[in-house]
Amino acid sequence: MLGLICVDVDGTLVGTGNVVRDDVWAALADARAQGVRVALCSGRPAIGNALDYARRLDPDGWHVFQNGASVVNAETGKSLSEAFPEDALPRLIAHAHAMDRLLEIYTDTEFAVTKPGDYARRHATLLGVPYTPRAPESLQGTRVRVQWVVPRAQEAEVVGEPHEGLDLHPSGSPVMQDVMFISATRAGVSKGSAVTRIAGQYGIPLERVMMVGDGENDVSAMRVVGHPVAMGNGEPPALAAARYTVAHVDDGGLREAVELAMRL
């Protein structure tokens, strides 16, 4: 069996009802009981539902949040996170106001928004946190990431705009199907870089690591591990990067992936 299974959240662990199947939890618990490390590998921050998922998956383990910008130990809270370039923030915030778009600015455990409203409220519900919008200037601590939250039709426009010194990580959620989340991190920071760091912390060779995902933002991690798995509901870039494909998230595809990891 493999040494480490990395699990995306939206579209992989969590399905269209914003819940995790019982058989998926059981398979993951069995893998952990047999000595396999399990790491959440999400675009979400280390708060609310995502932090709860991480603690249930591997309560004393390392987990990837915010597309690799946050790497946090679920037990100790220790962070190996990557700071966002401070000189880029004022420019992006000004652009968000000029375009009347929602931009979220994150630390490891808090976030602010440029545009309170329906998208911000729905996203807070998805994250499992109270809807208490904060202005960007009120945010304390090290900023690690920003994220555009826009209609799907605007994805190409946003991705095509200048983001010097940054990497973009577009992704969707089956719970907010009308929206695209376009995360921006410091250049070189991704789920792939974070998975590499976690494998190193555990002393597990990347050839013995599985990454299970469904979105374009999962591809960087899928490319560095020995066993990349795409969900049946995966986007074309994830399907193209996969060595294996399993069932749709709502049909227990992640359970299939975990069972495969235990046989390899």
Side-chain angles (χ1 to χ4, degrees), residues 3 28 48 58 112 117 119-120 134 136 139 145 149 163 171 175 212 220 225:
L28 289 162
D58 201 334
Y119 279 1
R134 298 176 55 179
L139 195 63
R145 176 181 67 113
V149 184
H163 289 83
S171 66
V175 183
V212 191
S220 63
V225 303

Side-chain angles (χ1 to χ4, degrees), residues 147-206:
Q147 179 167 260
W148 297 106
V149 184
V150 298
R152 280 187 174 270
Q154 292 184 14
E155 177 186 3
E157 176 186 348
V158 174
V159 170
E161 292 172 349
H163 289 83
E164 295 89 352
L166 307 175
D167 283 348
L168 300 183
H169 314 275
S171 66
S173 169
V175 183
M176 292 179 65
Q177 296 186 28
D178 56 326
V179 171
M180 281 302 295
F181 301 94
I182 305 171
S183 184
T185 61
R186 183 170 60 79
V189 174
S190 67
K191 288 188 178 184
S193 66
V195 166
T196 300
R197 295 182 76 182
I198 286 180
Q201 289 285 322
Y202 290 141
I204 299 172
L206 286 168

